[in-house]
Structure formats: C-alpha cells, structure tokens
Amino acid sequence: MKLLTSPFTPVSICVVGSGYVGLVAAVCFAEIGHHVVCVDNDEAKVESLRAGKTPIFEKHLSELLARHLGRGLAFTTDLRTAAAESEAIFIAVGTPQSDTGAADLSYVEAVVSEIASSICGYKLIVEKSTVPVYTNEWIRRVLQRYGVSSSSFDVASNPEFLREGTAIVDFLHPDRIVIGTSSERAMDVLQRIYHPLISGSYYALPAALRGSCNRNSPPPLVATSAQSAEIIKHASNAFLALKISFINAVANLAEAVDADIEDIAAGIGLDSRIGPRFLRAGLGYGGSCFPKDLSAFHLVAQEQGVDFQLLQEARKINSAQRDRFYNKILSALWTLRGKRIAALGLAFKGDTDDIRESPAIDIVRRLLDGGASVCAYDPAAIDRSRSVLPESPQMSYARSTYEAAEDADAVIILTDWKEFAALNLARLKACLRFPIVIDGRNLYSVQTMCDAGFDYISIGRPIAASANLGHAEQIAV
Ligand code: UGA
C-alpha cells in the first residue's frame, strides 16, 4: 500500500443517511476539514438539522454541529445533486434485521440505484453501514446494471466502530481506521479523507476534541480487501458480544458457588491477552447493533457453509440472562400483583437515550404483564420509552430516582447511568417501603449496600439479605 505523504487537501463528501453513524460521520468529516453534505429523505429531520437541532442525545454533537453548520456542513434531501457534486459518497443508511435474521439491504440498494443516475466523472462509493460480506460486490454490480462504466467509480468498505454515548470521540480518536478496497485510486481518496487523523495533524489543533490519540500517537490504518473489511466489522461486534455472554455465564457459575464475579472479572481482565473491557456482567447486551449483527453474521457463516454455533450460544446466554434477572425479582418479591417497583433506567446502556433492544424495556414490560406497577426514571430515555411502553395506570414515570422510589416495594437498576452509581443511599432507603435493591448492572459493592441496610441482589455475587427477603435468598447468603 502506498502511504500518503502529500499535504492535506479537503475532499467534497456526501454522507447518505443521518442516523447515528451518518450524522456523526458527517459532522466529524467537517470537523477534520472537509466539505460535507449529509442527505436524508426525512424532510422534517433535515429541516431540524438545518436549524442546528440534533435528533439524538450524543455528547459533543450539538457543539460540532454549531461549529460547522453553514460552513463545511450542509443538509439536504436531494441525493442526486449532493452525489453529483461530491467526490466520495458514504452510504450510512440503516440495515435493519429482516424476518429471517439477515440484514435488510434494500435501503442500501435504493441509494445505490439513485446514485447511479447522478454519476458524472469519477466517484468513490464507500460502505459505512454495517453490511454482510460481499455487499461491496453487490454495490458494484448494481451500478453496472444501471449502465455506469466500471472506470468511473470504485467501491470501498470503511466500517465504523463508534459506540453510542461516546460516538464523536470514538470517531475522532479511533482504535483503528479500516479501509477495504483493491483500488489504489479509492485508497488514495480515503487516505486524503482521513489524513488529519492518520497524520496526527488534527490532534495538534487547539480546538481539537481530546481523546486517546495525539499527534505522536495517531490511529493506525488497516488496509485490506473489501471482504476482509466487511468481516472485520461483523467479527468485532460478534467478539465483543461473546465476551459479554462469556462473563455472564461465568457470573451464573459464580452465583452457584458463592464466588464474586467482580473479583473474577478483575482477575481475568488483568491478563493482557484478555483485557479488562467488556467484562461487565449484567442484564446482557442490547442496542441496535449487537443483537442484529450477531444474527446477521451467523447467517453469513451459514450461507458460506461454516458452522458457527458459538454465535448462537452467545445469543442464548444473552436472552437467558434477562430471564434470570426477572426471576431474581420474583424470588425477592414473591408475587407481583399489587407491588410497586421503581425502575432505574430504560435506555439500553448509560449515556444514551436509545431504547432499541433495551433489556430494561423488556424487564419493565414483563413486570407490567405480571401485574406490578412500575415507576421508571431515566435521565434521557423517558420520551422515547413512552412510545413503546403501554399507556396504563400501572406505568408511570418519575423525574428523579427518589421520586420513582417513593413508597416502592423494591428498586431495580436496569441501566448503567453514572448517576445511579452515586445515589444518596440513606435518602433512597427512606423513600422505599422495603429496602430491597435488585441491581442488574452491579453498580454497588455488596458491602456498601449491606452497610446501608439494604437487601441487595446483584449479578454473580453473594446476596446481602435480611428477613425482608424470601427463604430462597436467605439460604443463598
Ligand atoms: C457497539 C460497539 O461497541 C461499537 O464498537 C460498534 O461500532 C457499534 O456497536 C455499532 O456496530 O454501531 P453500542 O451498541 O453503542 O456499540 O454499545 P456498547 O457500548 O458496545 O454496548 C452494547 C451493549 O452491551 C449494551 O447493552 C451494554 O450495556 C452491554 N455491555 C457492554 C455489557 O453488558 N457489558 C459490558 O462489559 C459492555
């Protein structure tokens, strides 16, 4: 691979899709000096973005939007014009899970067929959405079917590894930048685009957002074939999901033998070959990526005749983890009808308002179905939750943890928001009818909760119990 040594030159970029990946990529490409047009077919969303309003709860997004809107960054619904005027077109539209579990690529295909009609001069088409292997090849075929000459475009894969909640910093300070293409020309354009990050020049700017990279330690570039890049994305998410399911399975074993999963995870994670991250036992993974990507990756393997049951097992453990947690609530409260439960957290993880595939929403639904009343508090996800949880007298929302806990029979912790890990425990106890906390995120040490006078049930750790709990729990202590 030829490494770029020339000075930075801005590239005209079109990003199609203003969801998590598209919007963050568009704003960050503008931040590193490019001319960016972000396209979405949702007119109301485009209008709102033009007015500087962000549709998602994401740190630094409003700040960067305000910094670049009307300068290097614009929003439009007109894909053809935006594509015609750009050198590189990033496809960042949704690839939702279809009924079969495979990724639904119809949005990608629709975008590609529309781009085909606007190709005049060379274009680089870049897959940014999470897609199965060979999508690159399909994009090429679709363009050729629409009569576009193969000399006037290249297709490359450039997967994104950002996490919700830290998306902007993840984009600007990535662990690696993966570029999959066999074309030197495509590689050259993508290296120009990422030049400020790869060369480290961005990190030397006074206004640069701070993170793990710096001028002397810029992110590495991984240059591969398109197929390898596509698999790197799916395999990364699958591996992280496996890691979570692994620690959850070990947590269940820890419970059975009266060991402590936090000690075990610390002991495992200190092995530098394993590492400490993504070893937090809990309710299992949720969100718009891991569940969908694991299923899509499993199907990709099946289609290629590869037996990858390990992925299936990770999914099984993940779903059983929610059942186990629900059973912990039942065994602490005995029956649900007429009980009032304070639910802390609705988002699929802390620092986001996203509730897609959220274990918290699932648990709240089950409690309501079981006849309990639930009063939920989440710092950001209440509005979104109202649209998916039943409107019923049994379901209510609070403006704080303490309001939710007022007269409740128990508190359940469902999301790892930082504020839930720093509660005033004496105040919490005073609000509750019974001092019972069932923690699906292990936010407190057992000793702390015991000292504060709570019956405390968590994941993979001994239970701190008093006479308030049922017989089964007391035996488990
Ligand atoms: C995930 C990946 O981490 C990103 O690298 C990837 O780019 C993204 O998917 C994507 O494909 O777009 P995200 O879904 O935002 O990012 O969230 P994570 O921080 O990975 O958490 C996923 C789920 O795992 C959450 O429900 C979280 O609570 C859970 N989790 C995470 C655990 O239960 N334990 C852990 O130790 C870590």
Side-chain angles (χ1 to χ4, degrees):
M1 182 196 56
K2 195 171 66 152
L3 267 180
L4 191 76
T5 45
S6 52
F8 173 67
T9 46
V11 176
S12 53
I13 296 175
C14 166
V15 178
V16 191
S18 67
Y20 245 100
V21 172
L23 183 55
V24 170
V27 165
C28 290
F29 284 143
E31 168 74 0
I32 59 174
H34 300 293
H35 307 303
V36 186
V37 183
C38 183
V39 184
D40 202 291
N41 56 11
D42 181 338
E43 284 186 21
K45 199 172 179 191
V46 167
E47 268 318 307
S48 150
L49 284 163
R50 280 177 175 159
K53 291 193 198 119
T54 58
I56 47 176
F57 177 90
E58 193 61 53
K59 204 170 170 198
H60 300 303
L61 187 57
S62 304
E63 176 192 340
L64 293 196
L65 191 60
R67 198 183 278 180
H68 300 291
L69 192 62
R71 297 178 190 91
L73 177 63
F75 294 92
T76 181
T77 51
D78 182 357
L79 172 56
R80 285 179 197 210
T81 308
E85 290 172 354
S86 303
E87 186 177 355
I89 305 163
F90 284 76
I91 302 178
V93 295
T95 51
Q97 191 168 338
S98 66
D99 294 343
T100 60
D104 175 357
L105 298 175
S106 54
Y107 298 113
V108 175
E109 183 173 8
V111 167
V112 174
S113 54
E114 204 170 336
I115 292 171
S117 60
S118 61
I119 291 192
C120 47
Y122 176 81
K123 300 283 171 208
L124 170 62
I125 322 284
V126 190
E127 307 168 339
K128 200 67 162 150
S129 309
T130 303
V131 289
V133 66
Y134 288 134
T135 301
N136 212 273
E137 194 44 45
W138 270 107
I139 293 176
R140 178 184 311 283
R141 267 188 230 171
V142 170
L143 287 171
Q144 283 171 344
R145 274 181 197 167
Y146 279 87
V148 184
S149 144
S150 56
S151 61
S152 54
F153 73 91
D154 277 310
V155 186
S157 169
N158 170 223
E160 187 47 58
F161 302 98
L162 57 81
R163 289 160 301 170
E164 295 186 15
T166 51
I168 298 278
V169 170
D170 285 348
F171 190 100
L172 294 168
H173 294 263
D175 289 343
R176 73 295 206 193
I177 293 167
V178 175
I179 297 178
T181 182
S182 51
S183 149
E184 273 213 7
R185 191 171 182 180
M187 179 57 81
D188 181 65
V189 177
L190 278 158
Q191 283 200 48
R192 276 198 283 133
I193 291 174
Y194 284 106
H195 184 286
L197 303 185
I198 300 166
S199 69
S201 62
Y202 171 72
Y203 309 110
L205 299 175
L209 291 190
R210 300 291 156 216
S212 56
C213 299
N214 60 52
R215 182 158 211 169
N216 302 320
S217 161
L221 173 66
V222 180
T224 71
S225 69
Q227 289 95 301
S228 297
E230 289 163 334
I231 290 185
I232 286 172
K233 171 66 195 183
H234 261 160
S236 299
N237 274 4
F239 189 81
L240 292 169
L242 287 178
K243 215 173 165 189
I244 297 168
S245 280
F246 179 85
I247 203 67
N248 281 332
V250 178
N252 298 337
L253 180 60
E255 271 172 28
V257 301
D258 214 11
D260 186 324
I261 193 61
E262 297 303 323
D263 293 341
I264 296 169
I268 299 173
L270 280 169
D271 185 325
S272 58
R273 293 166 301 175
I274 298 173
R277 296 169 76 189
F278 275 72
L279 282 182
R280 288 195 325 272
L283 277 173
Y285 58 78
S288 64
C289 303
F290 286 173
K292 161 177 88 77
D293 293 348
L294 225 69
S295 159
F297 195 36
H298 187 233
L299 273 165
V300 164
Q302 260 179 345
E303 276 165 24
Q304 302 302 324
V306 174
D307 182 7
F308 209 159
Q309 278 306 315
L310 187 58
L311 301 180
Q312 203 47 23
E313 283 305 313
R315 290 163 68 196
K316 257 169 61 187
I317 293 169
N318 198 54
S319 118
Q321 201 63 11
R322 295 181 187 189
D323 300 340
R324 282 182 71 96
F325 188 74
Y326 180 71
N327 288 335
K328 280 177 197 267
I329 302 173
L330 278 189
S331 57
L333 296 181
W334 189 24
T335 64
L336 290 179
R337 200 157 299 282
K339 298 271 164 63
R340 182 181 153 89
I341 297 173
L344 301 189
L346 293 164
F348 81 98
K349 64 171 188 177
D351 293 329
T352 178
D353 62 351
D354 198 338
I355 53 164
R356 286 175 289 176
E357 297 287 330
S358 170
I361 296 284
D362 187 23
I363 296 291
V364 169
R365 275 210 191 99
R366 291 191 204 191
L367 293 173
L368 293 171
D369 288 347
S373 293
V374 177
C375 184
Y377 167 63
D378 186 289
I382 290 182
D383 285 348
R384 287 188 194 270
S385 304
R386 281 186 201 277
S387 59
V388 300
L389 287 171
E391 243 181 76
S392 97
Q394 274 176 269
M395 182 68 224
S396 60
Y397 301 89
R399 281 159 301 178
S400 74
T401 291
Y402 308 102
E403 191 183 318
E406 204 54 58
D407 220 18
D409 292 274
V411 173
I412 54 172
I413 302 178
L414 303 175
T415 306
D416 53 350
W417 281 98
K418 284 182 201 77
E419 70 169 82
F420 297 157
L423 297 173
N424 178 332
L425 295 177
R427 185 172 169 202
L428 180 68
K429 194 168 170 225
C431 295
L432 289 163
R433 274 184 80 198
F434 302 111
I436 300 175
V437 173
I438 306 156
D439 182 356
R441 299 291 184 168
N442 286 1
L443 297 189
Y444 289 91
S445 80
V446 176
Q447 194 59 53
T448 302
M449 295 307 271
C450 198
D451 293 348
F454 284 96
D455 290 338
Y456 182 63
I457 302 169
S458 54
I459 310 285
R461 298 188 296 177
I463 294 167
S466 71
N468 285 321
L469 285 188
H471 185 59
E473 279 67 36
Q474 288 180 53
I475 285 175
V477 175

